[in-house]
Amino acid sequence: GQQLNQSPQSMFIQEGEDVSMNCTSSSIFNTWLWYKQDPGEGPVLLIALYKAGELTSNGRLTAQFGITRKDSFLNISASIPSDVGIYFCAGQGSGGSNYKLTFGKGTLLTVNP
Amino acid sequence: GAGVSQSPSNKVTEKGKDVELRCDPISGHTALYWYRQSLGQGLEFLIYFQGNSAPDKSGLPSDRFSAERTGGSVSTLTIQRTQQEDSAVYLCASTHLGGKLFFGSGTQLSVL
């Protein structure tokens, strides 16, 4: 089946530092998505990418859809304590399924104030 | 309601018992997903409902798992004869016409 390899598994950073995480896949996806999950909550969509090579920003977040359509990265600039949580990448629209999302295992981000 | 509502938020059960988990999607959303999140793992697709179409059950891990969606709205995920490996957070999400997915807060299931 499809698998997404997300790295790193966890990060411990100081407030104000920049963060980068990425996902790679053995399959091509039509859409890449990045979610954040706070404790006890469901994931919330941060950024959606729809086109190979697309670079999209949302405040301090920047994400890119890889040219090969098999990878994506997420950058967070000038981290703050509320950035703490689990970040998931997800690919959508592969293998004939336009609706099924395949998720990475997540990156646990801890920000020390 | 304003968001996807799941109940119960926590469920502790004994091995071998059956459990039912409920999801109330956002009103008007035609598509509904169930995902399972085990500790330290990503979200594992279980089942997808879209309108009146036959559901995609390809992610259900065994025949002990089943789900239904009544009247195109509320969905129930049933796990029969629960096993310890079924312990996880079960997340429901809904969307409309392939738009953004909205997740509920999940049901934390613990099988003792």
Side-chain angles (χ1 to χ4, degrees), chain B residues 1-55:
Chain B
V4 177
S5 178
Q6 292 188 243
S7 61
S9 55
N10 283 280
K11 176 71 176 178
V12 180
T13 190
E14 294 179 350
K15 178 181 173 181
K17 301 274 187 170
D18 298 350
V19 295
E20 283 190 355
L21 312 179
R22 176 186 169 104
C23 173
D24 277 280
I26 293 173
S27 178
H29 279 192
T30 55
L32 186 149
Y33 300 72
W34 283 97
Y35 278 85
R36 177 168 71 175
Q37 184 177 21
S38 301
L39 190 63
Q41 300 296 312
L43 279 69
E44 174 191 6
F45 169 81
L46 296 178
I47 189 168
Y48 168 79
F49 296 91
Q50 171 59 58
N52 295 320
S53 301

Side-chain angles (χ1 to χ4, degrees), chain A residues 38-96:
Chain A
D38 291 326
E41 300 294 329
V44 174
L45 182 65
L46 298 174
I47 287 182
L49 302 155
Y50 301 103
K51 187 177 176 182
E54 179 182 356
L55 183 71
T56 296
S57 293
N58 179 7
R60 293 179 295 106
L61 307 179
T62 301
Q64 184 157 31
F65 191 146
I67 289 291
T68 64
R69 294 165 62 197
K70 292 184 177 182
D71 62 296
S72 177
F73 72 75
L74 174 71
N75 288 341
I76 305 173
S77 63
S79 59
I80 59 178
S82 62
D83 290 335
V84 165
I86 305 176
Y87 292 79
F88 291 99
C89 62
Q92 186 175 17
S94 177

Side-chain angles (χ1 to χ4, degrees), chain B residues 32-87:
Chain B
L32 186 149
Y33 300 72
W34 283 97
Y35 278 85
R36 177 168 71 175
Q37 184 177 21
S38 301
L39 190 63
Q41 300 296 312
L43 279 69
E44 174 191 6
F45 169 81
L46 296 178
I47 189 168
Y48 168 79
F49 296 91
Q50 171 59 58
N52 295 320
S53 301
D56 178 351
K57 304 180 181 180
S58 61
L60 295 178
S62 76
D63 59 7
R64 296 186 296 106
F65 288 72
S66 63
E68 62 178 24
R69 189 178 184 194
T70 54
S73 181
V74 171
S75 178
T76 302
L77 177 68
T78 302
I79 308 173
Q80 296 178 309
R81 305 180 302 281
T82 52
Q83 303 294 313
Q84 289 183 334
E85 61 263 28
D86 299 335
S87 296

Side-chain angles (χ1 to χ4, degrees), chain A:
Chain A
Q2 299 166 354
Q3 291 187 351
L4 293 188
N5 297 309
Q6 184 172 350
S7 63
Q9 288 185 331
S10 62
M11 301 183 74
F12 299 85
I13 63 171
Q14 294 296 124
E15 182 177 359
E17 290 183 352
D18 296 344
V19 170
S20 184
M21 58 193 79
N22 69 85
C23 271
T24 59
S25 169
S26 56
S27 304
I28 290 172
F29 288 102
N30 295 327
T31 302
W32 279 93
L33 306 154
W34 285 92
Y35 286 83
K36 183 193 178 196
Q37 185 178 30
D38 291 326
E41 300 294 329
V44 174
L45 182 65
L46 298 174
I47 287 182
L49 302 155
Y50 301 103
K51 187 177 176 182
E54 179 182 356
L55 183 71
T56 296
S57 293
N58 179 7
R60 293 179 295 106
L61 307 179
T62 301
Q64 184 157 31
F65 191 146
I67 289 291
T68 64
R69 294 165 62 197
K70 292 184 177 182
D71 62 296
S72 177
F73 72 75
L74 174 71
N75 288 341
I76 305 173
S77 63
S79 59
I80 59 178
S82 62
D83 290 335
V84 165
I86 305 176
Y87 292 79
F88 291 99
C89 62
Q92 186 175 17
S94 177
S97 167
N98 290 324
Y99 53 81
K100 191 181 299 184
L101 271 67
T102 301
F103 284 83
K105 292 188 177 182
T107 295
L108 174 61
L109 179 63
T110 302
V111 180
N112 296 318

